[in-house]
Structures are given as structure tokens and as C-alpha cells.
Amino acid sequence: MVFNEPMKKLNEIFAYPFFIKLLICLISSVFVLLLTQDFFFRFVALKRIEMATIDARFQNRGHLTFNPKVVIVEISEESFKSMPHKWPWPRSYYARLVRNLTKAGAKAVGIDVIFANEDINNKSEDNDFRNAIKETKNVALAGKVAIADERYDLIDAKNNYGNIFFDVDSSIGIIYLRNDEDGVHRRFHPMVYDRARQRRLPTFAVAVLNKALLRYNLETVKIQDNYFVLDQYKIPSYIDYSALINYYGPSHTFKPIKFVDVIDDNEFQTLEEEELGVDINTFDDPESGYLYDETFKDKIVLVGSTNPEDKDLFPVPIAHGKQEGDNLMYGVEIHANIIQSILDQNFLRPTPKWLELLFIFVFVTFTFFFILNLKSTKTKYHYFVEVLALAVVVVELFLIGTLSIILFNNQNTIVSLTGPLLAVVFGYVGSVVYSYVSERKQKVMIKTMFSQYVSPTVVNELIEDPSKLQLGGERKVLTVLFTDLEDFTSIAERMPPDQLIPLLNDYFEGMTDIILQNNGTLDKYIGDSIMAFYGAPIPLKDHALSACRTAIQMQKHLDNIRTSPQSNDRPIFKMRIGINTGEMVVGNLGGVDRFDYTVIGDSVNLAARLEGANKQYKTNILISEYTFHSVASQVITRELDLITVLGKTKPLKIYELMGLIDDDLHSDVLKVVEKFSESLALYRQRKWQKAIKKFEEVLTVKPDDYPSKYYIERSISFLKTPPPEDWDGVFVMRTK
């Protein structure tokens, strides 16, 4: 008894709806965290989506305005054509390049070329390059290693790191441009770790900056908190010991200078100069040469290939346009972006992890409670409330996306989007789940009360919109189907009730199943007749086709019954069906105490008339021209006649429905349709004799085709007594 009261209080707290709401918020938040934060597994699809949102932000921002501190000297096809020696060039070319750049005031020169072997033309030229490196003391070379993992460990490195000039002054930077999971290069690693030699090595951009900032050759960055520290520069870290590259624009944002133009001084002769016999000297021309125009003064110069054949092209998050390949950038350009952003201290900063987690919980909770309160609004326009709830979600998603773009453009801040966006979605889903659970009791009550009086379809509609319990209806274009058993009265007179009722029940059960399978609404049984309609209460885009499919399946079902072994002691049922499509009133019609969900209107009456018209032509299924226009491309029909039904004056084309296009129909059916159409055309042209012969051709294919026999009788009658000159081929129905 001591614990009863506290336990009772605890149960009350846990049963309180507000606690349930908070619990749903918490579960939703945890689920979003599991999907986005890599606690237990990495959801690659969401990671790729996150990466794509970063690309979209780059693309939205476009080019940045900046003062270039990096100049690219490109090894390109134009330089190949101008050089006296073919590729690979003598190392003396690089020696001349380094010396000329130093003369022009370059602070540092980074050569993004791997010199793995001695000069194949003249080994002595290697010494010239070595001497140039020693003289200038501002050259950083490229090295190559095999990287172990996403961190910065290397597993294989030669003593010279793949570059024979490493021993000149040990100034080398490892070329390490690692792509993300989708192949795009968004980040760089400032260093790698050589475990065999127990030392860190700078990557290429950092090695070049070492020269420019007069640091030790192999000095690397320091790691402090969430930053890589390079002298006075603090580079925000991102993931996997990397930093984001803040691209200033797509490829060619840094205007390149041709390699040949830098070495073309008064001591070097290009092929063009040999051919023209004129010294151009693009480097040291007193009026326009690079030596004097301060192009390289106090700049960092990167030398690398922009020749597509070298395959030094990488996908990046910003592109020129939207075509495939527009986002490709040469490796030397990527290094230029890295160095420029470090010198400008123009870094991309990810939001702190704790703030991202807070965003997730806040957006889940806000969305959940806001949508829940919105859904609790009592109105008969509940669909409007649902649309408004979705609109709120869309607005939230839009505002989050817009805020991320503003922070990216103005603050260089990368806000993770997948977490907050999923938080909004799961907050909405959580509110839907809670609403479903809380409203279930009411729905069960409605279903219990009305399922014994109306069809399951109508019950579901009432559950979704209880306001439909009110009297009244609405106008809609629907399709109506009427069936009737031929000579049922005489059959009923011959059978005792205890045999007739089970037989009729079996018939109704089979036909009703077919109606419901085709999304029809069973309206009522009228004696041996069935009335059904399509397109309400649940909208149905192809309601006319569904009605036609129902009719064909009904006739096939009767055929199967007639050919079954159990049919020997049963009467043979034959059924007539009429189908019409048109505007009618649908809804709950009747008195306050009792009403039916049904359809009324002229279009309904016309379907009933078409069912009766089958007697005239001894057909099974007749459809109106209005139904035909909705299904013409999907059914096999033949135009049967132009009639006016009882109570109407406007002529109506009627068609016999013979099958569906995708049915496996006998070829004779198509022959009948073709020949009958030709015969009917002759009949309407008053060519009675030719029409008779054509209708007789139909009978050779289908001897029992009553419509053809009927038209032969008409044609013979018109041969004897022609109709008046204003005859329009319309047949007037005198009976229902």
C-alpha cells in the first residue's frame, strides 16, 4: 500500500497526452539523429544529398570578387606547339621558368609536376634545374604517395616521395586531392603522416605556402580544437581531418599564363620566332614583358597542366553551366583556390555539432506541435487544413534552405541541411501519427454505426469527412452501369423460392465482387437488376473504362457459370448491360431519418434506357457516345445505331461494347466490327442494295449476328418504301 499512491501518480503522468506528444518528438528527433549523424552507421544516400546541397549553394553564389594572390602558369597545348623540344620538356625549361619567375618578383613557385625519373633527353639538364632550385630558394615541388585512409596516414612512400629533386632542399608537398563519395572534390587535407619515418608531410598547397611565408620546408599545420593552424592563419576543420575549399568560381576563374610565354626571354627562341625571324620575347620585352608589368610581383605562382590529355581534371561543386562536365577543374586550379582562400582568410565554417543537434530537436518539436494544433481546428473543410499543414511544412523547408544560402553567401557558414529538413518532415509525420492514433476511436465508432447500412466505400468516405452525413449532393461527371437479367420473370415463375433466392444471391455476390474489384460503388439492387456508378465517392480518373471493364468481366463470369459442371440443373442467365457517362447529382439523398448515397439525373436515366435498348438489337452491352469518347482508344466497339430514347428528342449514337484492346479477342470479332461499320455507312447513304450485301458479308463471319439481320430487314423495307428526303438515319425508341 505504501507504493500505490506514487505509482498511481506516475501512471497518470505517463498517460497524460502531453507526455505522449513529447515522447513522439523525442523518438522522431532520435531517428533523425541516427540517420544523419553517423552514430552507428553511415547513411550514404543522405550524405550525398547533403553534399548536393553544398554544391547548390556554391552554384547559387557564383563567382567571388577577389584580388588574385595566386597566378597559374599552365602547361597547355599552346605551349607544346611553341617549344623547340617536344614533351617531356628538358629540365632546363623548368630551370629557366623558376629563374624568370624569381626575377619577376614571385614569392614562391609551386610546380605541380611529378619528376619521377631523370631527364630522358640529357641528364645534365637535371643539374641545371637543381641549381635553379638552390639559387631561388622559393620552389616547392610535388610529391606522390599512397594514402591509407580518410585521415592522413600514408602506407607507401619512396625516400624521395616520387620526385628525384626532393634532395635539393627537401621542399615538397604531397598531391592529395581526395574526392567525396559522389566523386566531387569539396575539401582538402593539409597534411599526411608518414608513419614509417614518424613525421608529418605538408600537402602541396601548404608546401607552397611554406615557401611564401618563409617557413621550414616540411613544416605542417598544427591541430588546435577544430582548426588547422598555419602561422597566423586558422583554417576551420570539417570532417576526416580535412577542410572545405572555398572555391572562388568555376574553372578559369584564375586567368592562366602560358608556360612558353614565361620562358620566352631574349636567350630563348620559340618555334614562332624561328619561323618569323623576329624576337618576340614575351617575358622580358621592355614594353610589355612579364618581367616589368608586375604580373608576378609578390605573387604565388603555381605551375601545372591544363591539358585534358593529362587527365588532371576533377569534378568540383561549382560549374559554368548545367551540362555534363561543366564542373570539371584542373588540379592546379584547385590548389590555387586553396592557397588564395588561406591568404584571404576566406574560409568556409561548418556550424558546431551541438547547434546542429539543437536545430533538429527544435524543428521536430515546433513542426509537431504547430501542425497538431492546426489539425485540431474544427472545420468542415478538413482537406484545406491538410493542404495548409503541408504548406506550413513547405514554407519551413523553404525558409531553412533560404537561411542556409544567406549564411553561406554572407557568413561563409555551412549549415547542415539534411538534419533540419528531415526534422521538419519527421515532425510532420509524427503529428500525422499522433492524429491518426487519437482519432482512431472516433473512426471505429463511425464504422460500427454505419457499416451495416451503407457500402464500405461510403463508410470510408464518411470517416474521412463526417460532414458528408448531411443531406444534399454535388454535381459530378460519373459513369453509371445498369444490368438486368433477360426473361427473369419467367424463370422466377418456374422455380420455387427456396431454390430461386440462393441462386439469385450467388449471382448478386459474383457481380458485386466484380463491381468492387473495379473501384465501382454499388448503388442498389432493383429486383434482378443492379445499379452501380464509378467516380464517387472516391474520384476515379478512368471511371468510364472501369465501368466497361466491369461489364465485360460480368459477361465472362456468366459464361463461366454456364459452362461449369454445376450449371446442368440451373437456369441459364443472360444479362443486358447499359452504360452512360455524364453529369449527374451524387450524394446523400432522402429524408432526415433515412437517406441513401446514390446518383440521380438524366445521365442516370439514359444508362437505364440503354440497358433496355439491348432488347431491340439482341446485344449484351450497349454504351452511349459519351462513354465511347472517354474510352475509344482502349476498347473494341462497333457503332450500332443513331437513336432517340423515350422522352428525348436529341439523337444519340450507341455502341456495342465487344471487348478491351488488351483482351485476347478472336480475329472474327475485328472482322465483324470492320464489315459492320462499312455496311452501316452504306445504309446511312441510302444505298440499300449494297448495304444488304455488306451486312450479309458480316453474317458469313458471324451467322447469328442479329444487328446485321435487323439492318437487312430495315434495308429491304426501305427498298420497298424509301424514307423521306430529310431522313437522317435516326431510330426512335418507343419503349423503355
Side-chain angles (χ1 to χ4, degrees), residues 6 14 26 38 63 80 130 187 232 242 300-301 340 373 387 435 496 509 556 589 609 653 683 715-716 731:
F14 275 77
L26 182 61
D38 302 340
H63 288 79
F80 293 159
R130 290 176 184 274
R187 52 198 174 98
Q232 73 270 31
S242 66
I300 291 176
V301 181
Q340 180 76 37
N373 288 334
V387 171
S435 296
E509 182 179 358
K556 288 182 178 178
L589 307 177
R609 298 288 187 272
K653 285 184 180 179
Y683 169 81
S715 300
I716 292 173
F731 177 75

Side-chain angles (χ1 to χ4, degrees), residues 453-686:
Y453 302 112
V454 296
S455 69
T457 306
V458 179
V459 171
N460 292 332
E461 188 75 10
L462 294 175
I463 289 173
E464 293 299 320
D465 187 4
S467 65
K468 290 194 173 181
L469 291 172
Q470 299 174 3
L471 291 177
E474 56 183 329
R475 289 191 173 275
K476 282 187 176 182
V477 175
L478 308 174
T479 299
V480 180
L481 176 147
F482 278 90
T483 75
D484 191 33
L485 291 177
E486 183 179 321
D487 295 329
F488 180 75
T489 302
S490 60
I491 293 174
E493 289 175 350
R494 295 194 304 267
M495 293 187 69
D498 60 335
Q499 295 180 15
L500 177 64
I501 298 303
L503 183 63
L504 197 57
N505 286 339
D506 289 344
Y507 162 77
F508 280 140
E509 182 179 358
M511 297 304 153
T512 302
D513 287 344
I514 294 172
I515 291 171
L516 298 181
Q517 288 167 11
N518 287 281
N519 299 314
T521 299
L522 177 65
D523 190 306
K524 59 178 67 74
Y525 303 126
I526 311 168
D528 61 299
S529 301
I530 301 173
M531 175 183 172
F533 54 92
Y534 297 76
I538 299 174
L540 195 61
K541 183 179 179 181
D542 55 350
H543 51 80
L545 181 62
S546 295
C548 291
R549 186 180 291 112
T550 299
I552 291 170
Q553 291 176 4
M554 283 178 165
Q555 295 292 359
K556 288 182 178 178
H557 182 69
L558 278 184
D559 288 341
N560 292 335
I561 292 176
R562 284 193 288 266
T563 57
S564 66
Q566 294 82 6
S567 64
N568 294 332
D569 56 347
R570 290 185 175 185
I572 298 176
F573 282 168
K574 292 184 180 179
M575 179 171 45
R576 298 185 295 263
I577 302 174
I579 300 174
N580 181 44
T581 301
E583 188 178 72
M584 57 198 72
V585 176
V586 59
N588 292 302
L589 307 177
V592 175
D593 296 327
R594 181 175 179 80
F595 50 82
D596 293 321
Y597 190 79
T598 186
V599 289
I600 59 172
D602 286 345
S603 295
V604 180
N605 298 334
L606 180 55
R609 298 288 187 272
L610 290 178
E611 179 275 311
N614 282 287
K615 300 175 187 177
Q616 186 73 33
Y617 304 94
K618 292 184 170 51
T619 50
N620 295 325
I621 309 171
L622 287 183
I623 66 174
S624 70
E625 61 182 78
Y626 310 117
T627 302
F628 172 78
H629 292 320
S630 298
V631 298
S633 62
Q634 297 164 294
V635 299
I636 303 296
T637 62
R638 61 171 167 178
E639 183 183 341
L640 204 58
D641 208 345
L642 185 64
I643 67 172
T644 57
V645 297
L646 189 65
K648 298 291 181 181
T649 57
K650 184 180 178 180
L652 171 75
K653 285 184 180 179
I654 61 172
Y655 297 80
E656 181 184 7
L657 179 61
M658 308 182 79
L660 301 177
I661 287 291
D662 52 3
D663 284 347
D664 186 17
L665 296 175
H666 195 278
S667 60
D668 287 351
V669 174
L670 300 178
K671 289 180 182 179
V672 168
V673 171
E674 181 182 358
K675 291 183 178 295
F676 189 88
S677 297
E678 294 172 357
S679 307
L680 188 60
L682 293 170
Y683 169 81
R684 288 177 176 166
Q685 295 168 14
R686 305 170 70 101

Side-chain angles (χ1 to χ4, degrees), residues 76 149 172 239 272 311 399 437 481 491 551 569 673 683 705:
S76 61
D149 53 34
I172 202 161
I239 53 173
E272 289 87 352
K311 298 181 180 179
L399 290 177
V437 172
L481 176 147
I491 293 174
D569 56 347
V673 171
Y683 169 81
D705 187 55

Side-chain angles (χ1 to χ4, degrees), residues 31-38 46-47 356 360 418-419 422:
F31 197 69
V32 174
L33 291 175
L34 290 175
L35 288 175
T36 60
Q37 300 305 310
D38 302 340
L46 284 179
K47 294 302 174 187
E356 183 179 345
I360 290 173
T418 51
L422 280 177

